[in-house]
Amino acid sequence: MTWSPFRADVMADPGTGHDELLERAPVHLCEAFDPPFYTLSRYADVEAALRDVETFSSQHGQGPRFTPPQGMLADPPQHTEMRRLVQGAFGPRAMARLRTRVEAVTRQLIDDIEAGPVEFDLHDALGFPLPVIIIAEMLGVPESDLERFKRWSDIQVAAMGAEDPREYAAPQAEFFAYMSERMAERRVRVESGNDVADDLMSAVAASRTADGARIDMSDALSIVMQLLVGGNETTTSLITNVVWRLLERGHWQDLAAEPARIPAAIEESLRFDPPVLGLYRNTTKTVRLHDVTIPAGSKVYLYYAAANRDPRVFQNPHHFDLSRPRTRRHLGFGLGIHMCLGAPMARLETEIVLRALLERFPTLTLVDRGTRITPFFLWGRRTLTVRRT
């Protein structure tokens, strides 16, 4: 069995390795990383693991390395308590209020595109700036710091999957110093009752645990970092992935003629090209599955991307099909108590972007397939050159 998430062809197109895993090694041990990890690929197994939080724990992080529990990256009751602090900001009412602002920012960015060259990088012109602007405004980050925040967000993700994460230590320290200072400022304002900003950072700064204590600074910073990364990385990749596939597979003009199918296109993109290919759990006891023993204390990669191509669940799984029934059964945002908090915002922003692009550029064409982002467990276009006509 030669599959590895680091293999060149799998990095270039993760779909090349799905059948190999699904049929030959539904439980696979990858020893090309430190620590080694097991991969679950079949839909039923990934779904069961996501629901069984007692056996497949997040207490040591959801990345490939063991980390201490922080913020929402923990098991209940800590996870439940920390998620409750910010859950409302991503609920249906909050998203309804946010729609007008997302539409305005999208219009401005597309106006800028229309005023520029006919060929442009969709990532740099739209896919990157829109989600960063929106989550930064929600957090209360100054507009002047947007570029720095995107760089820090990219670094946090890159460090999770890097062979040697120490190379990112300096910029990570810079980020935490910046955020510690801003969080301390928010807490002073909250405690004095003066000039308290209406933003997520202030909400986290003001939060208390069930017993009335202020949440630890480390947990507060972890929550903000998770919101920053989740609020832009996933959506940027979703936007670039769905536009890429629609253009590549010849669906763009069809969708322009029938925009009611935009939600279906987004869900099929999440199934076919999930921005997060998979996340990790940590076994609390020995697990026996498909004649393989996974020892207690192991890292286990729950491979959403392969599960989304499992023919036991999805007919013709390697076909990008806008008419696919029950597409929302996909695991593109995970499942269960750790399901992506920002999923409603990612869907909202991507829907607005697609509607605007299809209306303004109904004959948009693909110049090249671009390049992928670096982290092996994420999937999106770092560049995607398109042409408006």
Side-chain angles (χ1 to χ4, degrees), residues 138-158:
M138 292 175 69
L139 287 169
V141 175
E143 186 175 349
S144 58
D145 289 338
L146 287 182
E147 288 290 343
R148 283 204 292 172
F149 259 72
K150 175 59 177 174
R151 180 173 62 86
W152 282 329
S153 175
D154 291 343
I155 284 167
Q156 299 303 323
V157 172

Side-chain angles (χ1 to χ4, degrees), residues 277-291:
L277 295 172
L279 289 174
Y280 289 75
R281 297 296 189 268
N282 315 276
T283 51
T284 60
K285 62 184 180 183
T286 299
V287 175
R288 183 75 177 170
L289 187 63
H290 300 297
D291 297 323

Side-chain angles (χ1 to χ4, degrees), residues 60-112:
H60 297 289
Q62 293 181 3
R65 290 186 175 84
F66 294 95
T67 56
Q70 284 192 330
M72 294 179 285
L73 297 181
D75 289 339
Q78 177 177 330
H79 166 265
T80 308
E81 191 168 52
M82 296 298 159
R83 187 167 173 129
R84 174 184 55 82
L85 302 178
V86 292
Q87 182 92 44
F90 300 91
R93 290 182 181 178
M95 292 301 99
R97 292 192 298 269
L98 189 62
R99 176 175 286 273
T100 301
R101 178 58 180 156
V102 175
E103 289 173 339
V105 175
T106 301
R107 276 195 305 272
Q108 182 58 62
L109 291 169
I110 293 182
D111 285 347
D112 294 342

Side-chain angles (χ1 to χ4, degrees), residues 164-208:
D164 184 2
R166 291 174 298 181
E167 65 183 286
Y168 299 100
Q172 283 184 308
E174 180 187 358
F175 169 69
F176 282 108
Y178 175 97
M179 290 307 303
S180 296
E181 183 178 345
R182 298 302 178 274
M183 188 62 70
E185 290 172 356
R186 293 300 203 287
R187 284 194 162 174
V188 168
R189 291 182 186 180
V190 167
E191 289 168 3
S192 67
N194 295 324
D195 194 25
V196 179
D198 183 18
D199 57 44
L200 279 174
M201 209 180 310
S202 296
V204 173
S207 297
R208 295 181 180 273

Side-chain angles (χ1 to χ4, degrees), residues 369-381:
R369 74 193 306 270
T371 57
R372 67 157 292 162
I373 56 177
T374 303
F376 73 88
F377 57 93
L378 301 182
W379 179 239
R381 302 291 88 192

Side-chain angles (χ1 to χ4, degrees), residues 147-303:
E147 288 290 343
R148 283 204 292 172
F149 259 72
K150 175 59 177 174
R151 180 173 62 86
W152 282 329
S153 175
D154 291 343
I155 284 167
Q156 299 303 323
V157 172
M160 283 179 66
E163 185 174 346
D164 184 2
R166 291 174 298 181
E167 65 183 286
Y168 299 100
Q172 283 184 308
E174 180 187 358
F175 169 69
F176 282 108
Y178 175 97
M179 290 307 303
S180 296
E181 183 178 345
R182 298 302 178 274
M183 188 62 70
E185 290 172 356
R186 293 300 203 287
R187 284 194 162 174
V188 168
R189 291 182 186 180
V190 167
E191 289 168 3
S192 67
N194 295 324
D195 194 25
V196 179
D198 183 18
D199 57 44
L200 279 174
M201 209 180 310
S202 296
V204 173
S207 297
R208 295 181 180 273
T209 61
D211 59 7
R214 292 277 187 214
I215 65 170
D216 291 342
M217 182 64 83
S218 61
D219 285 326
L221 291 174
S222 178
I223 290 172
V224 171
M225 187 268 283
Q226 290 159 33
L227 293 175
L228 170 66
V229 173
N232 80 85
E233 293 287 345
T234 300
T235 309
T236 293
S237 291
L238 176 55
I239 290 169
T240 59
N241 284 347
V242 69
V243 172
W244 169 40
R245 289 299 186 193
L246 288 169
L247 292 172
E248 180 191 59
R249 302 299 171 102
H251 294 303
W252 188 260
Q253 293 187 25
D254 295 339
L255 203 60
E258 198 176 352
R261 300 174 71 189
I262 287 174
I266 293 170
E267 298 308 317
E268 180 66 348
S269 177
L270 285 164
R271 183 196 71 84
F272 198 81
D273 291 305
V276 179
L277 295 172
L279 289 174
Y280 289 75
R281 297 296 189 268
N282 315 276
T283 51
T284 60
K285 62 184 180 183
T286 299
V287 175
R288 183 75 177 170
L289 187 63
H290 300 297
D291 297 323
V292 176
T293 299
I294 304 175
S298 298
K299 275 286 180 179
V300 179
Y301 186 33
L302 305 183
Y303 199 15

